[in-house]
Amino acid sequence: MDMPTVAIVGRPNVGKSTLFNRLVGKKLALVDDRPGVTRDRREGDVRFGGLHFRVIDTAGLEESDAATLMGRMRMQTEAAILAADVVLFVIDARAGVLPADQPFAELVRRAGCPVILIANKAEGGTGLSGTYEAFTLGLGDPIPFSAEHGEGLGELHEALKGVLPKPDPEDDEEDEDAPGGRSLKVAIVGRPNAGKSTLINRMLGEDRLLVGPEAGITRDSISLDWEWRGRKIKLHDTAGMRRRARIDDKLEKLAVSDGLRAVRFAEVVVVLLDATIPFEKQDLTIIDLVESEGRAVVIGLNKWDLVADQPGLLKQLREDCTRLLPQVRGVAVVPLSGLAGEGLDKLMQAVVQAAEVWDKRISTSRINDWLSEATSRNPPPAVSGRRIKIRYATQVKSRPPHFALFGNQLNALPKSYTRYLVNGLREAFELPGTPIRLSLRTSQNPFDKG
């Protein structure tokens, strides 16, 4: 599981960087009495009373034209809010709630993640009236705090403990520095009788799973530890996923939901197709589900030994895949035979490569160089005589790659243009087969005339 992210946001000069330094435990952020000292997002890892998270210090939120330096700082801050699991919204308790706090409280609310309201500079009981004013922001109970003197840390710890995502206990047990590192979680899914258990038995070199010609033998999602070329793998075999209309008994309904849980738990999902009848409607539905859950995808064409004598078939099936599954364009399609043990090495190479792509991070400068070229080559359309402008882009998350675009009227961008951008990102930054998320953030600044 990714380390949770906590973003510190607020007006300039409310003490965000002092709070950042207090949490990180060292002076990583430059602190000064002048507003606007922090221009970029700074990140640091925090261990705080048993909690472990990444904290982001942001530039002060100010209303600014998106083309100016202050506007770009604001966009960076919006990107940090979008990426955060929790937001620490900081106000100056001595100054109280100012008009500039309101629009940004609204921005944080719209992000939809938990918010902890911090009334900073309340040391020794000062700023009590400003702390009470903070209730008017509608962000819950404010914590009277002093980043400079460390007052209120206990209350902040309790608040964070209540809202941070719970760590996966299996992750805690694994030593990332041990040989082979953390286990890569791989789920193998597909229609009933696609040969999932036979494939896993071949991988493990032993008959660990019950197999047979009858469809639906595997009822549970089974987790097995394995190693491939020194890499730790946690394999999940799942019950075959039937269409809901064909799920009759209660036991099988539970088995399908268990398969969905395995998909959500996995990092890479191998969707196993029967090469003799590939790309059935149900296969496409399963791949669509895996993509919508944001997992890396690899397609395995099982029972390939039964069709290997058909010339040009693999090329044809890869072309079919591109046509039928544009949402995972470039996904690896690997022919194999679980029964004969053929193609397993190529399958695992594709799995490890898919995990690397899914986890990829791209610098903001490279993304904006690409954006400038992509919008020059094919400018966004005009709406009511006014051209849509995309000013700035950044990657807010990985696993899967998630990008945010900032500009004006982006909610009017046609789907064909967002597809053009997603395909451009795939090609420019070598992101084949992985789900790509795109968030469009339209400027709310009334002074931004485009």
Side-chain angles (χ1 to χ4, degrees), residues 3 6 9 12 24 27 49 77-78 84 99 103 110 207 263 271 282 302 323 329 384 421 436:
M3 197 188 304
V6 175
V9 301
V24 173
K27 290 196 174 179
T77 298
E78 287 192 32
R110 282 205 312 271
D207 290 340
V263 168
V271 181
Q282 194 184 349
N302 196 24
R323 177 174 53 83
R329 191 171 177 172
S384 304
L421 293 174
I436 290 179

Side-chain angles (χ1 to χ4, degrees), residues 74-355:
R74 175 189 155 87
M75 287 173 179
Q76 280 272 4
T77 298
E78 287 192 32
I81 293 169
L82 192 65
D85 294 294
V86 179
V87 170
L88 303 183
F89 191 86
V90 186
I91 68 155
D92 182 337
R94 289 182 299 201
V97 174
L98 301 185
D101 287 311
Q102 293 288 354
F104 300 113
E106 180 58 32
L107 181 71
V108 169
R109 260 197 302 274
R110 282 205 312 271
C113 66
V115 181
I116 297 172
L117 181 58
I118 293 178
N120 194 31
K121 305 184 186 179
E123 51 266 20
T126 60
L128 204 57
S129 63
T131 302
Y132 290 142
E133 271 184 45
F135 281 101
T136 63
L137 292 169
L139 296 173
D141 295 354
I143 297 174
F145 200 83
S146 171
E148 194 166 345
H149 300 283
E151 295 176 18
L153 281 171
E155 291 89 336
L156 176 58
H157 180 270
E158 281 303 306
L160 283 168
K161 196 163 73 173
V163 292
L164 279 172
K166 299 292 181 285
D168 182 348
E170 292 198 32
D171 283 349
D172 293 341
E173 291 165 14
E174 292 170 355
D175 181 3
E176 297 202 13
D177 298 322
R182 187 179 59 79
S183 292
L184 176 63
K185 299 184 179 74
V186 180
I188 298 182
V189 304
R191 283 186 285 120
N193 213 25
K196 299 179 292 297
S197 297
T198 304
L199 172 64
I200 289 186
N201 282 338
R202 177 61 70 169
M203 286 173 158
L204 298 171
E206 56 182 306
D207 290 340
R208 287 279 290 279
L209 304 177
L210 181 65
V211 295
E214 304 87 0
I217 285 180
T218 303
R219 291 286 194 182
D220 303 313
S221 170
I222 300 165
S223 174
L224 301 160
D225 290 315
W226 184 50
E227 203 167 287
W228 176 78
R229 292 190 180 180
R231 178 77 186 258
K232 291 180 184 174
I233 308 288
K234 193 174 281 290
L235 281 172
H236 292 265
D237 178 35
T238 59
M241 294 184 177
R242 300 177 190 270
R243 284 199 306 276
R244 274 196 190 280
R246 302 204 20 212
I247 299 172
D248 300 322
D249 69 343
K250 190 176 177 185
L251 181 60
E252 193 155 344
K253 283 181 182 173
L254 288 171
V256 171
S257 65
D258 201 37
L260 296 180
R261 276 198 298 277
V263 168
R264 287 170 185 148
F265 181 69
E267 294 161 310
V268 182
V269 178
V270 175
V271 181
L272 211 57
L273 274 52
D274 183 332
T276 63
I277 41 168
F279 298 117
E280 295 273 283
K281 185 179 179 185
Q282 194 184 349
D283 295 326
L284 304 180
T285 303
I286 291 170
I287 294 166
D288 205 41
L289 165 78
V290 174
E291 192 278 337
S292 69
E293 290 293 333
R295 301 302 181 257
V297 189
V298 172
I299 294 175
L301 292 171
N302 196 24
K303 309 182 186 178
W304 188 252
D305 47 326
L306 302 180
V307 295
D309 58 346
Q310 298 181 32
L313 179 62
L314 183 58
K315 184 184 177 194
Q316 179 61 51
L317 290 178
R318 283 180 170 149
E319 286 172 1
D320 289 347
C321 183
T322 301
R323 177 174 53 83
L324 295 167
L325 299 163
Q327 70 273 39
V328 286
R329 191 171 177 172
V331 66
V333 178
V334 184
L336 59 100
S337 168
L339 195 61
E342 295 165 359
L344 304 193
D345 215 46
K346 284 187 177 172
L347 177 69
M348 288 311 301
Q349 286 174 29
V351 164
V352 170
Q353 195 172 355

